[in-house]
């Protein structure tokens, strides 16, 4: 198999396809073992969802030490923050937590951006709480590759996701559970007594920010409880960074121009 130790942008589509073809017949544990010996600057990025917890357990059970990046949006459920603490205690990984720029608490975020930003402008919100902190984390930590818990069975943009992909920024993303179903994840969690979010016992399957997550009804897709009633399927963390940044800057510019016009009108 071609090595990914070299600069990843030198890989052409045929090489990447070959790598994914080889990895597609491997078990997730094998994919993780391969990734750990292939990449320098490897991190697990997780919000401690069911899939991320499975990956943490698989790494630990093989004696593989991978530091963890957690993006604290300041709008997580308390149960999620509790799980982050329990998971670190259980597996002993180095946990790197990054929050929205200039904010240590939810109150700081509201003071800086106003209340209910996710309602007023979800693009600015997603960029502020997820995209910018993640990019800052990658740059500060020197991350070249991140392990995610995304799966094809979650549908949406993930339905055709490969095991290894390369972002426009050059960051490599490894998705070892790409071929797994939610039932496989849940079975692994229970069989191996892996810590999981208490909200799963209340009907939640995919847990994000408190204001945009609800329990899943019987017969609904796993991520139906995220942004219910909207066409949205991703928070921005797994979208094209440059496109997200461009849209964020455009919206910010429009908002500043609107404020300037309002001030001018008041003075007049």
């Amino acid at each position: 198999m071609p090595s990914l130790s070299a600069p990843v942008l030198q890989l052409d589509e045929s090489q990447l396809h070959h790598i994914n073809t080889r990895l597609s017949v491997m078990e997730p544990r094998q994919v993780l073992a391969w990734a750990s010996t292939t990449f320098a600057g490897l991190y697990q990025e997780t919000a401690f969802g069911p899939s991320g917890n499975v990956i943490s357990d698989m790494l630990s059970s093989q004696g593989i030490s991978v530091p963890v990046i957690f993006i604290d949006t300041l709008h997580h459920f308390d149960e999620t923050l509790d799980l982050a603490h329990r998971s670190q205690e259980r597996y002993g990984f180095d946990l790197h937590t990054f929050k929205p720029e200039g904010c240590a608490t939810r109150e700081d975020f509201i003071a800086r951006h106003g209340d209910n930003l996710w309602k007023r402008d979800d693009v600015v919100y997603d960029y502020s709480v997820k995209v910018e902190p993640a990019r800052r984390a990658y740059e500060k930590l020197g991350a070249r590759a991140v392990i995610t818990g995304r799966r094809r069975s979650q549908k949406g943009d993930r339905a055709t996701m490969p095991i290894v992909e390369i972002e426009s920024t050059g960051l490599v993303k490894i998705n070892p559970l790409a071929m797994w179903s939610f039932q496989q994840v849940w079975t692994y969690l229970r069989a191996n007594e892996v810590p999981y979010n208490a909200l799963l016992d209340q009907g939640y399957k995919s847990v994000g920010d408190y204001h945009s997550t609800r329990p899943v009804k019987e017969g609904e897709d796993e991520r139906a409880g995220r942004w219910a009633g909207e066409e949205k399927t991703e928070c921005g963390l797994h979208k094209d960074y440059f496109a997200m940044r461009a849209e964020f800057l455009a919206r910010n510019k429009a908002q500043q121009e609107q404020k300037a016009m309002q001030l001018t009108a008041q003075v007049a």
Side-chain angles (χ1 to χ4, degrees), residues 90-102:
R90 168 77 173 266
Y91 299 114
F93 47 67
D94 290 335
L95 180 61
H96 301 274
T97 301
F98 285 78
K99 299 179 179 181
E101 189 173 26

Side-chain angles (χ1 to χ4, degrees), residues 74 99-106 108-110 112-113:
L74 302 176
K99 299 179 179 181
E101 189 173 26
C103 302
T105 66
R106 189 177 301 171
D108 290 342
F109 187 85
I110 293 172
R112 187 181 182 112
H113 297 281

Side-chain angles (χ1 to χ4, degrees), residues 147-250:
I147 300 166
T148 89
R150 293 177 297 158
R151 293 177 284 104
R152 290 184 176 184
S153 63
Q154 292 170 321
K155 300 183 178 179
D157 293 343
R158 306 180 180 196
T160 58
M161 176 184 64
I163 294 175
V164 175
E165 54 191 334
I166 303 175
E167 286 194 340
S168 58
T169 61
L171 181 73
V172 179
K173 289 190 173 179
I174 303 110
N175 312 301
L177 300 182
M179 310 302 181
W180 272 32
S181 66
F182 180 83
Q183 186 57 54
Q184 286 175 289
V185 170
W186 182 243
T187 298
Y188 184 100
L189 287 174
R190 301 308 297 269
N192 294 279
E193 299 182 343
V194 176
Y196 65 86
N197 198 314
L199 292 173
L200 268 66
D201 293 328
Q202 300 176 36
Y204 293 80
K205 286 189 175 181
S206 177
V207 180
D209 288 342
Y210 75 89
H211 51 72
S212 57
T213 308
R214 64 160 174 79
V216 175
K217 299 174 184 177
E218 187 173 353
E220 285 186 323
D221 289 336
E222 175 184 341
R223 284 171 64 84
R226 303 286 295 276
W227 311 289
E230 302 179 30
E231 293 183 5
K232 184 174 179 177
T233 61
E234 294 287 348
C235 65
L237 193 59
H238 300 296
K239 291 186 176 181
D240 182 85
Y241 169 74
F242 295 113
M244 283 291 296
R245 178 168 172 76
E247 189 170 3
F248 166 77
L249 292 174

Side-chain angles (χ1 to χ4, degrees), residues 47-48 70 72-86 106-107 196-199 202 204 207-211 213:
F48 300 97
F70 172 49
D72 182 356
T73 66
L74 302 176
H75 296 81
H76 283 299
F77 287 93
D78 289 341
E79 290 86 346
T80 301
L81 300 177
D82 173 68
L83 176 59
H85 176 71
R86 288 191 288 123
R106 189 177 301 171
E107 290 71 26
Y196 65 86
N197 198 314
L199 292 173
Q202 300 176 36
Y204 293 80
V207 180
D209 288 342
Y210 75 89
H211 51 72
T213 308

Side-chain angles (χ1 to χ4, degrees), residues 128-147:
S128 299
V129 303
K130 284 287 189 76
V131 180
E132 187 282 326
R135 184 53 45 187
R136 184 162 23 99
Y138 305 151
E139 292 177 356
K140 181 176 180 179
L141 298 172
R144 294 183 59 191
V146 294
I147 300 166

Side-chain angles (χ1 to χ4, degrees), residues 31-62:
V31 174
L32 289 168
W34 168 81
S36 72
T37 59
T38 300
F39 298 102
L42 177 67
Y43 288 80
Q44 180 187 0
E45 185 168 22
T46 182
F48 300 97
S51 298
N53 300 332
V54 166
I55 290 169
S56 294
D57 190 81
M58 287 182 173
L59 287 167
S60 177
S61 67
Q62 297 183 84

